[in-house]
Amino acid sequence: MMDSAQEKGELPPHYSAVAAHPPHTARPAWHRRGIRKSRGLRYIGLAILVFIGYAQWRQIPESTNSEVTAYGLSIERLQEDLATCAKLQTKPVDPAGLGREKNARYVDGHKPTLIKNATVWVGEPAEGTSAEDARAGKGWSWITADVFLEHGLIKRVEKDISLESVSKDVLVYEANGRPLTTGIIDMHSHAGVDSLPELWGNEDTNELSSDITPYVRSIDGIQPGDHQIQVIKSGGVTTSLVLPGSGNNMGGEAYVIKHAVGKADGRNETSAADMLADPDRTWRYMKMACGENAKRVYGKHGEHGPTSRLGESWEFRHAFEQAAKLVREQDDWCQAASTLGVESVRSYLPADLRWESLTALLRGQVHLNTHCYTIPDLEAFVDHTNEFKFKVRAFHHAHQTYLVPEILKRAYGGDPPASAIFADNMWYKAESYVGSEHAGKYLWDEGLTPIYVSDNPVLNAQHVVFEAAKGYKFGLPYHAALHSVTTAPAERLGLGQRLGKVKPGFDADVVVWDSDPLSLGAAPVQVWIDGTAQFENPVELKKPAPELIVPDESLGHIVEEPETVSSVIFTGISKSCLNNKAVESFKELYHFSEVAVITNGKLTCVGLCHSAIKAANASPQPPKTIHLKKGCLTPSFVAFGSTLGLNAIDAEKDTDNGASPNVFSRAADGLALGTKKLRVAHAYGITRAVSAPKFAGGATHHGTSAGFLTGAATTLESGAVFAPDAAVHYTLDLSAKRGEGTPSIAAAVGALRHKLLSAVSDLNTTISDAYSEAAYLRKVVTGQIPLAVTVHSADTISALLRVKSTVESALASSSSSPDPPSLRLIIIGGAESHLVAEALASANVGVVLSPLFSYRKTWDQRRALTGAPLTNGTAVDVLLAAGVKTAIGLEEDYRVIELGLLAGVVYANGGGRIGEREALGLVGGNVWDMLGLEKEKGEKEHFVVWEGSPFEIGSRVRGVGGGGGVVSVFE
Ligand SMILES: *[C@@H]1O[C@H](CO)[C@@H](O)[C@H](O)[C@H]1NC(C)=O
Ligand SMILES: *[C@@H]1O[C@H](CO)[C@@H](O)[C@H](O)[C@H]1NC(C)=O
Ligand SMILES: *[C@@H]1O[C@H](CO)[C@@H](O)[C@H](O)[C@H]1NC(C)=O
């Protein structure tokens, strides 16, 4: 494949000065043509003669000097080199879309498709809209149209395309008015090179032999069989830029693939080459990375760098210098060879495979994507672009770009790089500590381009459109949010005339959605790639007829910091979701807007509240009144199992309580409050958290968890630690093998059983330290504290259920009481818990799904359900249907920003089986039930006042009550 493409001039020239020169050009014509049977025999004799002649002729150039220059160089080769000069100096242009008869990716025989009655997002404003108006959001709309796909292209987008006007073999798809967009584009993925579930043998993300490896190529590691490629597509993502990882300053070449693999997806081949979005390889792509990764991976003090950003800049500049030198040498050679003739040059065209791709970058043939978070990284890299004169298409992980638009604008080439970002994934390392969920909006306001990406498997790229939805929620205009995952990445990839729009001439990558793609839980009902439907029996969720989002410009009004007041009146509360009978009965009596009066941080009245308002307004300092449109009141949320209160920056030891695989400890002894994470958590309605010390990495646990108020400044504040020892935690996920004395899962399960059985047999002994592991285990076996085990695998959960019954039997036989306590078990993690849902329900075991939507990232999660259209529901649906007490956990702390949204996704995708209250219970009441904490206690102090339904993407938090006699108000 590569050779033939190279012959056709579609590939860059071969790299090596010593490359072999096959004699293919000398092949006689008959060798290639077929021979008609009837004459075949007559030709054989002749052919033998010709062959002998040919063989002798082949000897000639090698036996004489006539084809060699005075300097002993092959003329043939010099001429090839001269031809290469032209290719070296070609600047690619974006490949055209319109005018193609067929998409080069079209597989013969595939029938055309007519999608009837769709509501289409074209990706462009109405004709005649000025660029300025378009940017401001004018002229954009969803239109009703039919879409005709043929030969891998979108051929027509019109109202009422008649069947008579298209070919007879057309496949008709009724969209029934549902939203139709182009396929989503993920401009930062490691799908295929970092296959899931992650296994060492399949891990090919980074070539870590050296910091500077511009010469490696992600395509050489792409596994078409990575199931995640299919999962990603099930989220409507049809195209991804597969980048090498960010371990190296120069990571290597990247490739744009489409998510159609092999026969099952309508392709000819199961190969990475067949997945290439542009088989002609018009543009090349490359990945570089600045910042802490390279210095962490490579730097060794006194031995080799880079150990600092200073060293990294040197690595970059040194590499660019090599490439620039080679470019100069090549250009000089080409100049000499073309003006003086190839006979006069003293060498072949200079070439060096190590620097070839980098020279192509300097020649403008490569689209560069650079991972840079921080201001110094961005500034240094922009300096390199100007020193060596090359462009950057996008800065990735560009958390701080919104702070320095001027640096982006002075990047070489006059075309500021886009910012490929996450909507809200941050705080995981120092570089991502300064970030904002409003970055997309701020960049847009500066005339820059935010693009939401997954970094799959960092985020599950299946949900990259959710990143765009959050971008909208956090202030990016609606059309810009859609732009950020369609037209914007298409343009940055140099494929803007082929991808990203639903227009004639574009590739036929199309998604029909079950709801507005930016609404919570939006899922495709069908996906086409190059005109071929990708799902044979897609699961379609039961949802009401889609209502398109009416863009709400008020979301662009950002309140960075709330005001803290003791009393406030909210009006316009049209719906109370508070789990309070009194409020309910009130609602039934009065069908008009209600009011919430908050006095000294407490909800003192919900309803009409005439007298409460009067009283409040008569006080010496009357509270302010905030008028809401479609206000809603809910209980506040609870974060269970995160590292909130124990960590500020995941990767920074100094900010972290630390991991204790071998020491049992209490979170209450390590709580560190007043962090940014806690402030943000509180602002998004999480007023209480229950956190346990880490066992090993992030979402693992060992010790007792503490329940505390996220709004408290110190643990000494009254009520700040409301549950000093909420649960006893152990970890049985894959990291369990890292514990002392537990080299295997079997050993870890056995060790836990041994501890519990010992606690039973020691029940009558005295424990001198009331804060020791033994003391807490006694509370566990006597049913006073729940046992929370972090575990994903259905097999290990099964083993744990057996441990539970073994311990309960031991309790029964050692106790004289007729009703011995049962172990109160909670599972945290639970990716595969759906497989044992019935058993969990009958053993009365609760599950905290963490993450809520597992995507089989690790081996012990490999049987997770990834949702429609691939699977019928996810774990949460199965658990709730089986009657398991379920909650949503946070496997990473940034999810505090979206915890409420996740409950909304469960609600939206529950097929009507999960009510609003039940969904809210997943982030509040159910945790309380599992922990056996008193629920009603804090209800009047722990609440969220919303503008809009919390189950809709466009809702905003306007007030948060989280104890302490105050309420946070966002105005
Ligand atoms: C796919 O295979 C068919 C049959 O072998 C062939 O006609 C067609 O050209 C191939 N298409 C592509 C895109 O390779
Ligand atoms: C398009 O779909 C909508 C929603 O199902 C339906 O109400 C409408 O009648 C359909 N229009 C046509 C022309 O079929
Ligand atoms: C503990 O003491 C009680 C009362 O003396 C006795 O009934 C029970 O069997 C003892 N339990 C164990 C485990 O020794």
Side-chain angles (χ1 to χ4, degrees):
M1 193 120 200
M2 300 271 264
D3 279 345
S4 65
Q6 205 150 33
E7 280 167 31
K8 282 187 281 166
E10 289 163 355
L11 273 184
H14 61 76
Y15 311 128
S16 170
V18 294
H21 285 262
H24 57 266
T25 46
R27 269 184 188 182
W30 64 264
H31 200 267
R32 280 184 253 129
R33 261 188 247 127
I35 308 165
R36 270 183 285 154
K37 259 188 193 156
S38 56
R39 294 199 200 158
L41 283 174
R42 269 193 278 150
Y43 283 133
I44 286 179
L46 183 61
I48 289 169
L49 289 176
V50 172
F51 181 72
I52 291 167
Y54 163 64
Q56 284 175 349
W57 173 78
R58 278 285 327 274
Q59 302 299 313
I60 295 166
E62 278 147 47
S63 59
T64 76
N65 285 333
S66 68
E67 302 259 329
V68 170
T69 67
Y71 302 108
L73 303 175
S74 154
I75 292 196
E76 186 189 349
R77 166 118 186 241
L78 287 167
Q79 263 150 4
E80 268 181 40
D81 280 359
L82 186 57
T84 297
C85 286
K87 286 181 202 159
L88 287 179
Q89 282 150 5
T90 330
K91 284 238 163 78
V93 292
D94 289 1
L98 210 57
R100 287 182 293 172
E101 199 44 44
K102 276 184 186 185
N103 182 335
R105 287 178 45 86
Y106 173 67
V107 175
D108 285 343
H110 282 208
K111 292 180 177 170
T113 297
L114 178 60
I115 304 173
K116 297 285 292 171
N117 193 15
T119 306
V120 179
W121 185 263
V122 174
E124 269 181 11
E127 241 183 281
T129 310
S130 72
E132 200 179 318
D133 279 354
R135 189 155 180 105
K138 290 179 195 152
W140 300 87
S141 62
W142 288 87
I143 60 165
T144 301
D146 297 347
V147 179
F148 179 58
L149 317 176
E150 189 178 37
H151 297 141
L153 298 173
I154 296 172
K155 284 284 172 75
R156 297 165 67 186
V157 182
E158 298 159 23
K159 272 218 164 93
D160 304 322
I161 297 177
S162 72
L163 278 177
E164 292 73 51
S165 69
V166 296
S167 43
K168 284 212 171 55
D169 58 349
V170 71
L171 306 168
V172 177
Y173 182 92
E174 283 293 342
N176 291 320
R178 279 179 295 218
L180 180 153
T181 66
T182 182
I184 302 300
I185 300 169
D186 182 6
M187 209 174 137
H188 189 135
S189 184
H190 304 295
V193 289
D194 192 351
S195 300
L196 301 186
E198 284 177 328
L199 293 176
W200 181 84
N202 292 341
E203 221 284 304
D204 291 301
T205 321
N206 289 286
E207 172 51 42
L208 296 181
S209 53
S210 161
D211 179 38
I212 300 292
T213 62
Y215 45 80
V216 304
R217 309 179 296 182
S218 71
I219 196 171
D220 296 328
I222 293 176
Q223 305 223 25
D226 177 5
H227 179 67
Q228 179 66 5
I229 290 172
Q230 301 295 330
V231 172
I232 293 169
K233 175 169 63 189
S234 79
V237 176
T238 53
T239 306
S240 295
L241 174 61
V242 179
L243 296 160
S246 53
N248 298 357
N249 280 138
M250 291 191 181
E253 287 197 71
Y255 293 80
V256 184
I257 62 156
K258 289 203 191 178
H259 287 250
V261 182
K263 298 266 186 303
D265 293 351
R267 302 303 304 167
N268 271 3
E269 295 182 11
T270 301
S271 72
D274 188 65
M275 291 161 72
L276 291 179
D278 174 13
D280 297 329
R281 306 187 187 206
T282 311
W283 289 104
R284 293 165 74 181
Y285 304 88
M286 189 180 283
K287 168 79 177 290
M288 296 188 189
C290 345
E292 65 149 83
N293 287 1
K295 63 174 183 162
R296 174 167 44 80
V297 174
Y298 293 100
K300 191 138 193 251
H301 296 205
E303 288 185 24
H304 46 80
T307 66
S308 70
R309 289 186 161 84
L310 286 58
E312 289 185 26
S313 274
W314 153 253
E315 298 289 345
F316 278 124
R317 296 172 69 223
H318 176 67
F320 284 124
E321 185 189 37
Q322 308 310 307
K325 211 164 87 192
L326 183 54
V327 167
R328 234 175 7 250
E329 285 167 9
Q330 288 176 333
D331 287 353
D332 290 350
W333 187 95
C334 291
Q335 172 81 17
S338 67
T339 52
L340 307 174
V342 292
E343 293 79 5
S344 62
V345 295
R346 288 167 187 251
S347 70
Y348 294 120
L349 174 66
D352 185 346
L353 189 52
R354 176 175 282 262
W355 303 117
E356 186 281 333
S357 59
L358 216 47
T359 62
L361 171 69
L362 297 184
R363 291 181 180 285
Q365 297 168 346
V366 177
H367 280 338
L368 176 62
N369 290 276
T370 304
H371 154 134
C372 276
Y373 284 80
T374 67
I375 296 173
D377 290 323
L378 294 162
E379 188 156 21
F381 206 84
V382 162
D383 261 7
H384 307 328
T385 71
N386 286 308
E387 182 176 0
F388 293 96
K389 307 209 169 358
F390 63 90
K391 293 186 193 176
V392 181
R393 297 300 281 185
F395 281 118
H396 291 238
H397 290 271
H399 270 72
Q400 297 184 14
T401 48
Y402 79 96
L403 297 170
V404 288
E406 60 282 1
I407 291 181
L408 263 55
K409 288 174 188 174
R410 61 171 199 252
Y412 176 77
D415 178 16
S419 297
I421 53 176
F422 305 126
D424 53 6
N425 182 9
M426 46 191 159
W427 311 325
Y428 44 89
K429 53 169 150 176
E431 293 182 334
S432 67
Y433 190 54
V434 177
S436 167
E437 65 274 34
H438 307 296
K441 175 220 162 35
Y442 295 143
L443 288 163
W444 185 257
D445 288 350
E446 283 291 340
L448 297 168
T449 308
I451 292 175
Y452 292 103
V453 296
S454 72
D455 195 9
N456 187 85
V458 169
L459 299 185
N460 176 5
Q462 178 190 1
H463 298 305
V464 86
V465 77
F466 181 47
E467 294 301 295
K470 287 181 285 183
Y472 166 66
K473 178 186 185 66
F474 300 135
L476 186 62
Y478 180 86
H479 71 286
L482 281 171
H483 176 62
S484 74
V485 287
T486 55
T487 28
E491 186 276 327
R492 291 282 97 185
L493 292 173
L495 298 171
Q497 294 176 50
R498 290 190 173 177
L499 304 178
K501 291 183 187 177
V502 183
K503 276 184 74 178
F506 279 71
D507 288 8
D509 303 332
V510 168
V511 185
V512 171
W513 300 88
D514 65 4
S515 51
D516 188 308
L518 298 189
S519 63
L520 288 181
V525 295
Q526 185 56 278
V527 175
W528 289 261
I529 293 184
D530 302 310
T532 303
Q534 295 294 306
F535 297 108
E536 211 167 326
N537 294 302
V539 174
E540 190 176 331
L541 298 170
K542 204 179 122 220
K543 286 191 185 178
E547 260 180 61
L548 293 166
I549 290 170
V550 180
D552 179 359
E553 286 179 19
S554 73
L555 292 171
H557 172 69
I558 310 290
V559 184
E560 290 277 3
E561 290 295 331
E563 189 187 343
T564 305
V565 297
S566 61
S567 301
V568 58
I569 296 170
F570 286 101
T571 68
I573 294 177
S574 53
K575 186 183 198 178
S576 169
C577 320
L578 268 188
N579 196 4
N580 182 320
K581 292 224 168 64
V583 173
E584 268 309 282
S585 53
F586 226 94
K587 236 179 79 190
E588 277 153 23
L589 276 174
Y590 305 101
H591 293 283
F592 37 86
S593 293
E594 294 168 5
V595 170
V597 178
I598 295 148
T599 320
N600 295 326
K602 277 199 173 125
L603 267 176
T604 45
C605 179
V606 178
L608 288 180
C609 305
H610 291 313
S611 49
I613 295 176
K614 219 182 238 167
N617 286 335
S619 67
Q621 278 183 317
K624 71 166 72 182
T625 298
I626 296 178
H627 303 287
L628 304 176
K629 269 190 272 171
K630 284 204 210 156
C632 180
L633 200 52
T634 71
S636 65
F637 305 150
V638 183
F640 184 30
S642 71
T643 68
L644 286 180
L646 294 167
N647 169 290
I649 304 171
D650 305 81
E652 289 291 333
K653 268 190 151 180
D654 288 359
T655 77
D656 186 37
N657 175 55
S660 29
N662 304 321
V663 179
F664 188 93
S665 63
R666 302 170 67 228
D669 293 335
L671 281 179
L673 306 185
T675 62
K676 187 177 190 171
K677 278 182 184 178
L678 289 170
R679 205 166 66 237
V680 176
H682 194 271
Y684 283 96
I686 297 168
T687 63
R688 291 175 284 200
V690 181
S691 301
K694 274 196 272 200
F695 172 76
T700 63
H701 309 99
H702 187 211
T704 69
S705 49
F708 64 96
L709 303 184
T710 59
T714 72
T715 52
L716 292 182
E717 270 179 28
S718 141
V721 183
F722 59 83
D725 298 287
V728 170
H729 293 253
Y730 293 96
T731 292
L732 289 177
D733 69 4
L734 296 177
S735 68
K737 288 180 265 189
R738 281 190 254 162
E740 195 174 53
T742 60
S744 65
I745 296 294
V749 171
L752 180 58
R753 179 175 48 226
H754 180 73
K755 282 179 185 173
L756 291 165
L757 288 175
S758 302
V760 174
S761 59
D762 293 350
L763 270 176
N764 287 351
T765 61
T766 327
I767 296 176
S768 57
D769 181 353
Y771 300 97
S772 63
E773 183 171 13
Y776 291 111
L777 282 167
R778 176 171 293 179
K779 289 188 174 179
V780 166
V781 298
T782 52
Q784 297 171 65
I785 309 189
L787 173 68
V789 179
T790 303
V791 54
H792 285 296
S793 146
D795 304 302
T796 313
I797 294 173
S798 305
L800 193 57
L801 290 177
R802 290 195 297 275
V803 167
K804 176 175 174 346
S805 60
T806 303
V807 173
E808 283 166 356
S809 304
L811 273 169
S813 56
S814 79
S815 159
S816 51
S817 125
D819 190 16
S822 54
L823 273 191
R824 290 161 52 201
L825 182 60
I826 300 170
I827 304 287
I828 299 180
E832 296 190 349
S833 60
H834 63 97
L835 290 170
V836 289
E838 301 293 337
L840 290 169
S842 60
N844 204 17
V845 175
V847 176
V848 181
L849 289 168
S850 181
L852 169 61
F853 299 119
S854 166
Y855 51 108
R856 312 171 174 205
K857 195 157 180 281
T858 52
W859 181 252
D860 56 348
Q861 304 188 35
R862 72 190 183 282
R863 292 174 289 184
L865 300 175
T866 54
L870 281 181
T871 69
N872 190 0
T874 61
V876 68
D877 302 290
V878 179
L879 293 174
L880 290 175
V884 176
K885 187 67 83 184
T886 307
I888 300 174
L890 300 98
E891 86 288 11
E892 282 192 74
D893 291 344
Y894 79 88
R895 289 206 193 268
V896 293
I897 299 176
E898 59 192 55
L899 192 59
L901 296 179
L902 293 178
V905 174
V906 174
Y907 168 73
N909 290 358
R913 292 180 304 271
I914 300 165
E916 297 194 351
R917 269 164 204 242
E918 209 176 352
L920 286 173
L922 297 170
V923 288
N926 292 2
V927 173
W928 251 226
D929 290 348
M930 287 181 205
L931 294 173
L933 297 171
E934 248 182 283
K935 194 151 74 179
E936 293 299 322
K937 212 167 152 188
E939 183 139 282
K940 295 244 183 277
E941 286 184 272
H942 289 271
F943 55 85
V944 185
V945 183
W946 305 83
E947 183 128 45
S949 160
F951 297 103
E952 281 167 18
I953 191 76
S955 61
R956 285 168 65 201
V957 172
R958 300 297 303 274
V960 178
V966 290
V967 55
S968 304
V969 170
F970 297 82
E971 243 189 312

